[in-house]
């Protein structure tokens, strides 16, 4: 014995023009042609003096963590500078 599925009466009797169209989904990544996306502004702009002070403090803490022994201040400065620049690029500050 085979069974056949019946369509519901409402779907079978309604013409295609009377069925409701599916709503269009909006996507956040959609962009109009020719219109550039806005670039987010950095959270905080830091001037050169403030950046230098941040690097100096970070270099001091690096030297303090190792007990002020070994390594040289220049490498502490370079490591701190890289860390501060990464932080500023990510919007911290």
């Amino acid at each position: 014995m085979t069974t056949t599925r019946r369509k519901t009466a409402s779907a079978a009797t309604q013409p295609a023009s009377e069925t409701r169209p599916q709503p269009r989904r909006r996507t956040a990544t959609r962009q109009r042609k020719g219109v550039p996306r806005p670039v987010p502004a950095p959270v905080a702009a830091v001037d050169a003096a403030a950046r230098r002070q941040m690097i100096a403090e970070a270099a001091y803490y690096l030297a303090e963590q190792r007990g002020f022994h070994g390594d040289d201040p220049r490498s502490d400065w370079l490591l701190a500078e890289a860390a501060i620049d990464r932080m500023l690029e990510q919007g911290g500050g």
Side-chain angles (χ1 to χ4, degrees):
M1 181 188 281
T2 60
T3 58
T4 58
R5 299 183 104 185
R6 296 176 123 193
K7 292 184 179 181
T8 60
S10 61
T13 58
Q14 283 185 343
S17 61
E18 291 181 18
T19 60
R20 289 187 182 176
Q22 294 294 323
R24 294 172 70 180
R25 294 182 182 175
R26 294 181 182 221
T27 59
T29 57
R30 190 177 223 167
Q31 171 181 339
R32 287 182 276 159
K33 290 184 179 180
V35 178
R37 290 185 180 194
V39 177
V43 174
V46 178
D47 65 349
R51 178 180 169 273
R52 182 177 172 84
Q53 182 63 36
M54 293 167 75
I55 294 169
E57 289 177 17
Y60 175 85
Y61 289 125
L62 286 172
E64 183 182 48
Q65 282 179 344
R66 67 176 193 329
F68 299 103
H69 298 295
D71 224 358
D72 67 318
R74 186 170 190 269
S75 68
D76 292 334
W77 183 273
L78 294 175
L79 288 171
E81 184 176 35
I84 295 299
D85 286 344
R86 261 193 318 274
M87 180 190 70
L88 291 174
E89 286 174 2
Q90 294 172 354

